[in-house]
Amino acid sequence: AQKVTQAQTEISVVEKEDVTLDCVYETRDTTYYLFWYKQPPSGELVFLIRRNSFDEQNEISGRYSWNFQKSTSSFNFTITASQVVDSAVYFCALSVKAAGNKLTFGGGTRVLVKP
Amino acid sequence: ETGVTQSPTHLIKTRGQQVTLRCSSQSGHNTVSWYQQALGQGPQFIFQYYREEENGRGNFPPRFSGLQFPNYSSELNVNALELDDSALYLCASSPIRGEQFFGPGTRLTVL
């Protein structure tokens, strides 16, 4: 069975501060995919990134960056120079090849960026 | 390209009633997955439909059932509603092993 843990339930920062969201996953499968989604108050899940288990290269996209470390089963997400529009709930998720593209989500981290 | 749409947006039902939620998949996608998101929690996988057949199911009782139509749109049916069924129901469409694109959800309240 798969499991995703997001230990931080809520993070509050002031605009322009950096914020890092932690994600730890568990799976016995060797081929899997990790995701981050953003859920604004409107409720729709917005896809941010997908990484496969064979690609540990860190990635940067604008103010977003991701740190994937298989040794610690972690896939952390950093928002640099946060903005008020970044306020949302962020979910880390996992899918394994053997189960198709079914997603197992963590509990989410609520990020509040204050002006 | 039209994204994933869901209807209705909000719904209020009473215990014991039955409800049907609808999802139109994104053009070119033949797979639809349904998730339940209780307040303050992450989404939980209910089931997936591929080419009109159930293709995987999460830990939900049989009173949760679904359909997929030839145009790949889908319905989620819940019978004998319970208070704990109150949640945001999310639909996602994708190619069979591809990226899932989520709709805006249907918020169900059971009184």
Side-chain angles (χ1 to χ4, degrees):
Chain A
Q2 283 65 244
K3 185 177 180 182
V4 177
T5 302
Q6 295 179 252
Q8 306 146 306
T9 54
E10 186 165 326
I11 300 175
S12 181
V13 297
V14 176
E15 206 169 19
K16 297 184 183 178
E17 288 185 338
D18 297 348
V19 56
T20 295
L21 311 181
D22 299 333
C23 172
V24 174
Y25 62 92
E26 296 176 31
T27 180
R28 293 183 179 179
D29 288 67
T30 56
T31 303
Y32 53 88
Y33 301 89
L34 295 164
F35 303 80
W36 278 94
Y37 285 88
K38 175 182 180 180
Q39 188 174 46
S42 61
E44 186 169 347
L45 283 170
V46 178
F47 165 80
L48 297 178
I49 190 172
R50 179 176 86 161
R51 301 310 299 273
N52 72 57
S53 52
F54 299 108
D55 183 3
E56 286 192 72
Q57 194 169 18
N58 291 330
E59 184 160 337
I60 298 174
S61 176
R63 297 184 297 106
Y64 295 168
S65 61
W66 291 270
N67 183 349
F68 176 25
Q69 293 193 343
K70 285 180 76 170
S71 61
T72 56
S73 297
S74 65
F75 186 44
N76 296 338
F77 172 34
T78 297
I79 304 173
T80 302
S82 60
Q83 300 177 1
V84 173
V85 293
D86 295 326
S87 296
V89 181
Y90 292 85
F91 290 96
C92 181
L94 166 72
S95 70
V96 299
K97 185 178 179 182
N101 62 356
K102 164 199 158 184
L103 292 167
T104 299
F105 285 87
T109 299
R110 180 176 300 278
V111 174
L112 178 60
V113 182
K114 300 176 182 176
Chain B
E1 185 175 278
T2 305
V4 180
T5 60
Q6 292 186 243
S7 62
T9 305
H10 295 88
L11 202 52
I12 299 175
K13 292 285 189 178
T14 56
R15 271 187 307 175
Q17 284 189 313
Q18 178 266 342
V19 68
T20 297
L21 310 182
R22 294 178 176 83
C23 172
S24 292
S25 60
Q26 187 165 316
S27 177
H29 290 177
N30 55 17
T31 302
V32 173
S33 304
W34 286 92
Y35 294 82
Q36 180 196 65
Q37 186 179 14
L39 194 63
Q41 298 182 23
Q44 300 287 319
F45 175 73
I46 303 175
F47 45 55
Q48 181 181 86
Y49 278 82
Y50 169 61
R51 292 186 176 178
E52 303 177 57
E53 297 285 333
E54 189 176 287
N55 182 46
R57 186 180 183 94
N59 188 26
F60 281 81
R63 58 189 186 83
F64 285 78
S65 63
L67 281 174
Q68 187 180 31
F69 301 99
N71 67 354
Y72 303 130
S73 65
S74 177
E75 288 183 353
L76 163 65
N77 299 289
V78 187
N79 293 321
L81 283 167
E82 301 177 359
L83 295 180
D84 285 348
D85 296 333
S86 294
L88 179 68
Y89 288 84
L90 294 162
C91 165
S93 77
S94 66
I96 182 57
R97 290 188 180 277
E99 208 60 69
Q100 293 194 35
F101 293 84
F102 284 84
T106 293
R107 188 164 298 283
L108 172 65
T109 301
V110 182
L111 303 176

